[in-house]
Amino acid sequence: MMVVMKESATLADVEAVIERVEMGGASAHVSRGELVTVIGVIGDREHVGSIELEGARTVVEVDGRRIGGPHFTTIAGPCTVESREVMLETARTVRDAGAGLLRGGAYKPRTSPYSFQGLGEAGLRLLQEAKDETGLPIVTELMDVRDLDAVLEVADVIQLGARNMQNYTLLTEVGRTGRPVLLKRGLSSTLDELLMSAEYVLKEGNEQVMLCERGIRTFETGYRFTLDLMAIPVLKELSHLPVVVDPSHAAGRRDLVLPMSLAAAAAGADGVMVETHPAPEEAICDGPQALRAEDFSDYMRRLEQAAALAGKELQPVA
Ligand code: PEP
Ligand code: MN
């Protein structure tokens, strides 16, 4: 575990952390940089995890919604912004069912350069319309720093996708904006790598970061990725940041989205991000994994029960 001290930390603050680490049975490796001091906490996971260094967990606030702490938040919407009709209809559906935030990609990272790449700025405008109509804050992906200003006009949360988890210049630029960030775990990244990527945002002074488990590559071919549910308690042990789970991209299949959402909620996730579409068969991308809009309110009811098992409450409908 790494403890990054604030720039304003005094020598006595650093020594207090070292003392706490050593009392917990681990050892501290101190690197004094020009701006900040970083303390590496070395020891086995059990010892390190039980050392209480952080008083409070981060609760990310987005337009009155809270992600983290006792709250459970659902981020829902289509994979990509494809048309005004689909965007508005989906926004109404998820708002009426109690989702906290609306997702939709205007810039899409696609495996094939010949696949639909997103509507770009026209997509951002449709997201703005959906936000104006429903009041739902927007989560949307930024892939390229050249689109930062346009995305900042609409996004309440900037999504950094799995493929960009280690795009350090992008992470730094987004950190400088201070805008809340949803940082997705890379397809083959370890939890330590995810946490180091989060540090790139945090070190710019932006503490509004959510970590997102979205499935990792394993040898299993029965589904798109393997959802790493153990990442939930382990990330919470290693970090104070909220953890959101995206079962849609992990599964690639609609039938797995409900059971994996329930498991994530019961395991203590702070929220889920799911794809939903009024007519998944017609969706431009990721239709097979999209929840049917007509099933969405039942999905939310089940989720509420699972979140309660972990002592969390769904936020009231805005
Ligand atoms: C997405 O959420 O739209 C997406 C592309 O996910 P990921 O970066 O996890 O593949
Ligand atoms: Mn998708």
Side-chain angles (χ1 to χ4, degrees):
M1 177 165 65
M2 300 277 238
V3 180
V4 182
M5 302 297 291
K6 290 208 161 117
E7 260 184 81
S8 56
T10 62
L11 201 60
D13 294 331
V14 174
E15 275 165 8
V17 172
I18 296 172
E19 196 183 315
R20 188 89 56 99
V21 167
E22 288 173 349
M23 269 168 48
S27 57
H29 181 270
V30 182
S31 324
R32 284 177 217 280
E34 236 174 81
L35 294 175
V36 292
T37 297
V38 177
I39 304 168
V41 182
I42 299 150
D44 57 48
R45 263 213 169 158
E46 267 171 53
H47 274 122
V48 171
S50 64
I51 302 170
E52 296 230 348
L53 291 168
E54 193 70 38
R57 306 200 73 86
T58 294
V59 176
V60 173
E61 285 227 24
V62 184
D63 204 11
R65 278 84 173 161
R66 294 192 164 155
I67 303 123
H71 316 285
F72 188 90
T73 306
T74 307
I75 305 168
C79 176
T80 180
V81 183
E82 47 188 76
S83 68
R84 172 178 285 109
E85 274 164 18
V86 169
M87 203 57 237
L88 292 180
E89 193 180 334
T90 312
R92 287 182 206 118
T93 301
V94 305
R95 187 231 12 226
D96 293 348
L101 295 96
L102 180 66
R103 65 151 286 145
Y107 301 94
K108 294 303 301 176
R110 303 305 300 279
T111 302
S112 164
Y114 306 112
S115 299
F116 177 68
Q117 304 285 307
L119 292 178
E121 291 196 22
L124 293 175
R125 284 194 293 275
L126 293 177
L127 285 169
Q128 181 68 53
E129 264 189 56
K131 174 169 155 178
D132 292 343
E133 195 192 303
T134 60
L136 289 174
I138 301 294
V139 182
T140 198
E141 179 162 357
L142 173 72
M143 290 171 54
D144 186 324
V145 78
R146 288 171 294 187
D147 301 315
L148 180 60
D149 289 341
V151 167
L152 277 174
E153 278 183 31
V154 179
D156 297 282
V157 175
I158 299 178
Q159 179 176 325
L160 292 170
R163 290 155 192 82
N164 269 317
M165 188 201 89
Q166 290 180 311
N167 183 338
Y168 300 123
T169 48
L170 189 62
L171 296 171
T172 300
E173 285 304 320
V174 168
R176 288 183 182 151
T177 69
R179 193 68 52 93
V181 173
L182 181 78
L183 176 62
K184 300 191 86 174
R185 181 181 183 183
L187 316 185
S188 301
S189 297
T190 65
L191 298 182
D192 287 339
E193 286 163 342
L194 172 60
L195 291 169
M196 279 298 122
S197 289
E199 284 298 331
Y200 272 88
V201 180
L202 297 168
K203 83 175 198 313
E204 298 304 321
N206 184 351
E207 295 183 10
Q208 299 279 287
V209 179
M210 297 165 249
L211 305 170
C212 181
E213 161 60 33
R214 48 79 69 213
I216 49 172
R217 275 213 204 288
T218 67
F219 52 79
E220 182 52 64
T221 54
Y223 23 81
R224 225 164 154 192
F225 295 93
T226 297
L227 188 64
D228 179 10
L229 289 172
M230 277 187 284
I232 303 163
V234 174
L235 285 172
K236 283 172 160 278
E237 173 190 312
L238 296 175
S239 147
H240 51 91
L241 299 172
V243 177
V244 172
V245 171
D246 171 354
S248 306
H249 288 92
R253 282 168 41 182
R254 180 177 311 118
D255 60 325
L256 301 180
V257 173
L258 173 66
M260 290 302 96
S261 300
L262 299 180
D270 296 296
V272 289
M273 177 156 86
V274 283
E275 291 185 346
T276 179
H277 195 284
E281 287 71 22
E282 289 159 30
I284 294 181
C285 68
D286 284 350
Q289 72 197 29
L291 294 175
R292 294 183 193 286
E294 69 218 43
D295 296 334
F296 194 74
S297 68
D298 279 345
Y299 168 81
M300 289 292 290
R301 252 197 304 275
R302 298 288 304 276
L303 205 50
E304 186 168 18
Q305 293 162 353
L309 293 175
K312 286 180 180 283
E313 248 188 291
L314 249 64
Q315 309 229 293
V317 179

